[in-house]
Amino acid sequence: MKKTAVFIILASMLFVSVPALAEDAVSEDRAPMIMLDGEWHSLDEIYSEILEKGIDNVYADQDIALALQYYGYMYKDLPYQPLIDADWLTKKNSYSDFVTRFENTWFIQPGREKEVVYSPLLNGDRLIFVTGGADGTLYLFDAGWKRLHEEAWGSIEEAFINCGFSWASDGNLVAVNGVDWQDSEYKDLILESLFIHFPHYKDPANLRYLQDKKYNGKAADYIFHCDCVDIDVRTGEMEVSFEMARTKKQLSVKPFADRGNTMLLLRDVAEGLGATVAYNDKTKEIVITEDWNPEGKTIILKEGSDTAVVDGQEVKMPIKIYSKNGHTMVPLRFFTDVAEYGHYIANGEAQIRRSRL
C-alpha cells in the first residue's frame, strides 16, 4: 500500500461517507473494505500495517480515520491494555452506578491513580488524557492517534485549538501521555484553547488554579465556585469564599446609604478579597496592595478625599471616603469601578470577585 495513496471515489458517490462506502463492500466473510488507488483494501490490512509500522509511518487520511473509528479499530490492541487487565481501568464508576459505554473512556480505580496517570504505557503515538470527574473520580480519555488528528485538522496545533478545551475537560485536566499536563509539550496549546473558550481563565485569580499542579483534576471546579465576598447590605453579614472554603463574619460596621451610595467597611472587604490594607502614618494615606496577584493593583486613598491613585493614575470616586466609629468607609463603587473587581449586585446583595474578567 503506497504512502501517497489517495481515495478514488466516483462522481456519483461524492457525497457518500467513507463508512457508508466501506459498508457497501462488506460481506459476512470479509472485513470492511475501503478503496485506495482504485483497488479495495481491507481495514484489517490498514490497521495491521499501523500496528506493525506505527501510525507515523503509514499513510493517514481523515476518511481513513473516520472509517477506523467507525468500525472500532481505533480502540483495539490498546497500549494500556495491561492496566485494563489489572482492573485499574474500568467501565464502572466506583462512586456510583454510572457505566461508560464510550470505547475511549475508562474510569481509574481509586488507589491506582498514580500508577495509571504516570504509566509509561500512555506515552506513545496516541493522545491520552487523564481528567477529573465528579466525586473525585479520575478517568482516562483516549483521543486516538496523533497523526490522524494532524490529518483531520491540518496540524496538531489546530487540533488542540479546536478540541483542546474538550480534551482538557474544560480545565479539569490532570495529565497528557503520562506526565502532568503543565510539563507536557502541549501545555501552551491547552492553555490557548482554554483561553479561547473561557477568556476569564486568563485572570490571575483563576489562572493560579490551572498552573498549580495540586489543583489538577479540579481546577475548573475551583474557578467555577470563584473566590469572592458575598455581602448582605441589609444585615452586614459577609461570606468569604476562598479555595472553595466559605467563612461567614459580621462586618464591624453595617453597610449604610449615603447620598445614593452604599458605604462599605474598607478593611474587612478588601482583606476578604486577598488584599493588604496598610496605613502610612507619615503621609496619612491608606495603601491597598494585592501581593498574591502578579498583575495586582496598588491603590492609595486619603480620608476626606474623593480621589484614588491607582497604579499612579488618579481616579475619581462618587463620594469622599471617611471614618465611622474608627473604621474607614468607602462606596461600593470603589470596589467595582476603581479597583475594578468582577461583581454582581442585586436584591440587596453584592458579590465582589477577586477575578476582574
Side-chain angles (χ1 to χ4, degrees), residues 66-139:
L66 190 61
L68 288 170
Q69 187 165 2
Y70 182 85
Y71 286 105
Y73 286 78
M74 192 82 79
Y75 306 106
K76 289 171 58 177
D77 303 298
L78 299 169
Y80 47 86
Q81 186 64 44
L83 303 180
I84 299 171
D85 295 339
D87 203 32
W88 294 358
L89 292 174
T90 69
K91 289 295 182 181
K92 182 176 172 58
N93 188 337
S94 299
Y95 294 97
S96 69
D97 294 328
F98 183 79
V99 177
T100 178
R101 291 177 174 81
F102 294 108
E103 291 179 292
N104 60 343
T105 304
W106 304 83
F107 292 109
I108 299 175
Q109 284 281 28
R112 296 297 182 180
E113 291 88 353
K114 286 189 177 180
E115 290 98 325
V116 174
V117 171
Y118 303 112
S119 171
L121 297 176
L122 306 185
N123 187 14
D125 55 10
R126 307 173 79 89
L127 283 172
I128 300 175
F129 302 88
V130 173
T131 61
D135 302 317
T137 303
L138 295 184
Y139 63 92

Side-chain angles (χ1 to χ4, degrees), residues 22-310:
E23 282 186 312
D24 291 340
V26 176
S27 66
E28 293 182 359
D29 59 349
R30 67 176 181 174
M33 306 289 286
I34 200 164
M35 186 175 283
L36 295 171
D37 284 345
E39 296 181 0
W40 288 106
H41 295 267
S42 73
L43 288 183
D44 279 342
E45 178 187 353
I46 297 171
Y47 181 66
S48 296
E49 190 172 356
I50 288 173
L51 290 182
E52 179 183 349
K53 299 180 180 179
I55 186 65
D56 289 334
N57 298 311
V58 177
Y59 175 75
D61 181 276
Q62 183 176 0
D63 293 326
I64 290 181
L66 190 61
L68 288 170
Q69 187 165 2
Y70 182 85
Y71 286 105
Y73 286 78
M74 192 82 79
Y75 306 106
K76 289 171 58 177
D77 303 298
L78 299 169
Y80 47 86
Q81 186 64 44
L83 303 180
I84 299 171
D85 295 339
D87 203 32
W88 294 358
L89 292 174
T90 69
K91 289 295 182 181
K92 182 176 172 58
N93 188 337
S94 299
Y95 294 97
S96 69
D97 294 328
F98 183 79
V99 177
T100 178
R101 291 177 174 81
F102 294 108
E103 291 179 292
N104 60 343
T105 304
W106 304 83
F107 292 109
I108 299 175
Q109 284 281 28
R112 296 297 182 180
E113 291 88 353
K114 286 189 177 180
E115 290 98 325
V116 174
V117 171
Y118 303 112
S119 171
L121 297 176
L122 306 185
N123 187 14
D125 55 10
R126 307 173 79 89
L127 283 172
I128 300 175
F129 302 88
V130 173
T131 61
D135 302 317
T137 303
L138 295 184
Y139 63 92
L140 180 147
F141 172 75
D142 183 350
W145 292 303
K146 301 173 190 175
R147 175 68 179 277
L148 297 181
H149 289 292
E150 291 175 348
E151 291 288 337
W153 293 100
S155 68
I156 198 67
E157 289 78 14
E158 280 300 314
F160 267 90
I161 294 305
N162 287 279
C163 304
F165 75 99
S166 176
W167 292 341
S169 190
D170 297 346
N172 277 340
L173 186 60
V174 177
V176 182
N177 294 119
V179 298
D180 291 317
W181 72 266
Q182 295 94 335
D183 297 328
S184 78
E185 61 183 298
Y186 306 113
K187 173 187 173 182
D188 292 340
L189 292 174
I190 290 167
L191 286 174
E192 184 176 357
S193 177
L194 287 172
F195 293 161
I196 288 172
H197 293 86
F198 309 103
H200 62 288
Y201 280 13
K202 291 182 182 180
D203 190 285
N206 298 325
L207 186 59
R208 61 184 289 267
Y209 289 119
L210 290 173
Q211 293 177 323
D212 192 332
K213 294 176 186 177
K214 77 178 181 180
Y215 298 108
N216 280 1
K218 51 194 176 184
D221 299 331
Y222 277 80
I223 293 170
F224 174 78
H225 283 88
C226 86
D227 296 334
C228 63
V229 296
D230 288 289
I231 304 167
D232 188 327
V233 299
R234 296 160 298 192
T235 66
E237 184 177 84
M238 181 174 75
E239 184 175 76
V240 180
S241 299
F242 181 63
E243 295 186 349
M244 289 178 66
R246 298 180 183 276
T247 305
K248 290 186 178 181
K249 67 175 295 181
Q250 189 70 31
L251 293 173
S252 303
V253 177
K254 184 177 174 181
F256 58 90
D258 184 351
R259 288 164 280 177
N261 295 281
T262 298
M263 303 300 291
L264 298 177
L265 188 62
L266 171 63
R267 183 177 294 276
D268 283 6
V269 177
E271 291 180 347
L273 292 167
T276 299
V277 181
Y279 182 71
N280 188 322
D281 199 41
K282 289 183 178 180
T283 62
K284 308 300 182 183
E285 294 174 333
I286 302 164
V287 182
I288 303 160
T289 56
E290 297 172 302
D291 297 331
W292 63 271
N293 186 350
E295 299 178 10
K297 298 176 184 292
T298 296
I299 303 174
I300 299 174
L301 302 174
K302 209 164 194 176
E303 287 197 11
S305 172
D306 62 357
T307 300
V309 179
V310 183

